[in-house]
Amino acid sequence: MTSRHLALAPVTFEAGDLLLRPFDEDDEPAVAEAMRDPGILRWAAGQAVLEAPEAERGRRWLESRITGWEVGNAVLAVTDIAESSDTAGGALLGAVSLRDVNRIPDQAVTAYWVTPRFRGRGIGSRALDAVARWAFTPSIGGGLGLHRLTLNHVVINTASCRVAAKAGFQLEGTMREEFVEPTGRRHDSHLHARLATDRTPEG
Ligand SMILES: CC(C)(COP(=O)(O)OP(=O)(O)OC[C@H]1O[C@@H](n2cnc3c(N)ncnc32)[C@H](O)[C@@H]1OP(=O)(O)O)[C@@H](O)C(=O)NCCC(=O)NCCS
């Protein structure tokens, strides 16, 4: 299958007081700031960012997320709609992504981060729920028509476990020594999943 077949059309949508939209080059300063957070760097930035010099980490993270739509990865900036007078949204609150869309038919893998000063307000769980609803919406309704979404988090990342549970991603099991840090330290990870047919979380 070529990347042409995998390409996704970039989308912008609202979820309550959040606006989710594709990243662009103007997000670089805010993403660079986020990449200075030890939690994001450790659990959510990815190997390529970790290997980059600190001054280049924001740009490195952003590059492949802007172009990701062309190869089946939908990466959305989470912003505050109240601060927005247009579709650009306000301050960057976080990111939520669906990667490998349809690599396995009707499935994708989610990931997320929230900038430190906006944590603890339900932004991670609401953004994840919003992206799941969009992913499960039939394509005729503007969604992706997927059936199953999964996510992994290291077992010690209890905040991420709460985000998953609040967004309706049920715990399916523990994957032993699934996550390896650059130091070589291995971590067990939880596998969570949400199906299109699962009950929608309230709130
Ligand atoms: C995990 C993360 C996305 C949570 O974002 P958030 O917007 O604060 O999430 P929410 O407000 O929706 O929910 C956070 C939940 O975790 C809980 N929590 C936060 N820190 C916690 C901790 N140290 N231990 C246990 N629970 C914790 C909060 O109490 C809340 O649960 P509650 O609603 O039941 O009280 C954010 O902390 C983050 O970006 N971390 C670094 C990157 C990361 O780990 N990404 C996920 C990789 S799998």
Side-chain angles (χ1 to χ4, degrees):
M1 190 180 276
T2 68
S3 59
R4 260 161 57 91
H5 294 109
L6 294 171
L8 302 172
V11 292
T12 295
F13 56 90
E14 297 175 11
D17 56 353
L18 304 178
L19 178 80
L20 282 72
R21 57 149 177 87
F23 278 92
D24 62 37
E25 286 83 0
D26 293 342
D27 292 310
E28 205 261 323
V31 172
E33 176 67 31
M35 292 302 135
R36 282 194 271 277
D37 172 63
I40 293 174
L41 260 188
R42 191 176 188 196
W43 306 129
Q47 196 63 30
V49 170
L50 282 169
E51 285 169 0
E54 190 176 332
E56 288 173 28
R57 284 178 175 159
R59 194 172 49 79
R60 184 69 64 89
W61 187 89
L62 206 47
E63 278 168 354
S64 60
R65 272 69 182 189
I66 292 173
T67 58
W69 297 84
E70 295 161 21
V71 293
N73 298 324
V75 188
L76 291 154
V78 181
T79 64
D80 184 346
I81 207 163
E83 291 183 31
S84 167
S85 56
D86 57 32
T87 54
L92 182 68
L93 310 179
V96 60
S97 63
L98 286 178
R99 74 166 191 276
D100 297 340
V101 174
N102 284 325
R103 187 164 166 185
I104 300 172
D106 301 340
Q107 298 194 24
V109 181
T110 70
Y112 41 83
W113 51 258
V114 172
T115 58
R117 72 192 168 105
F118 292 108
R119 288 181 189 158
R121 304 182 194 181
I123 291 168
S125 45
R126 284 187 289 130
L128 179 61
D129 175 54
V131 113
R133 289 173 194 247
W134 167 62
F136 293 145
T137 299
S139 44
I140 197 159
L144 297 174
L146 303 185
H147 181 69
R148 175 180 161 87
L149 299 178
T150 59
L151 69 86
N152 306 341
H153 68 81
V154 294
V155 171
I156 59 172
N157 191 349
T158 42
S160 186
C161 198
R162 278 297 298 150
V163 167
K166 289 195 293 178
F169 284 68
Q170 295 178 28
L171 179 60
E172 295 194 334
T174 301
M175 300 184 289
R176 296 177 303 149
E177 300 190 351
E178 185 267 348
F179 188 93
V180 190
E181 296 195 69
T183 57
R185 185 173 170 197
R186 295 176 184 276
H187 297 266
D188 291 352
S189 297
H190 279 168
L191 170 66
H192 292 251
R194 178 168 160 182
L195 306 183
T197 46
D198 283 345
R199 243 182 85 213
T200 305
E202 290 168 17

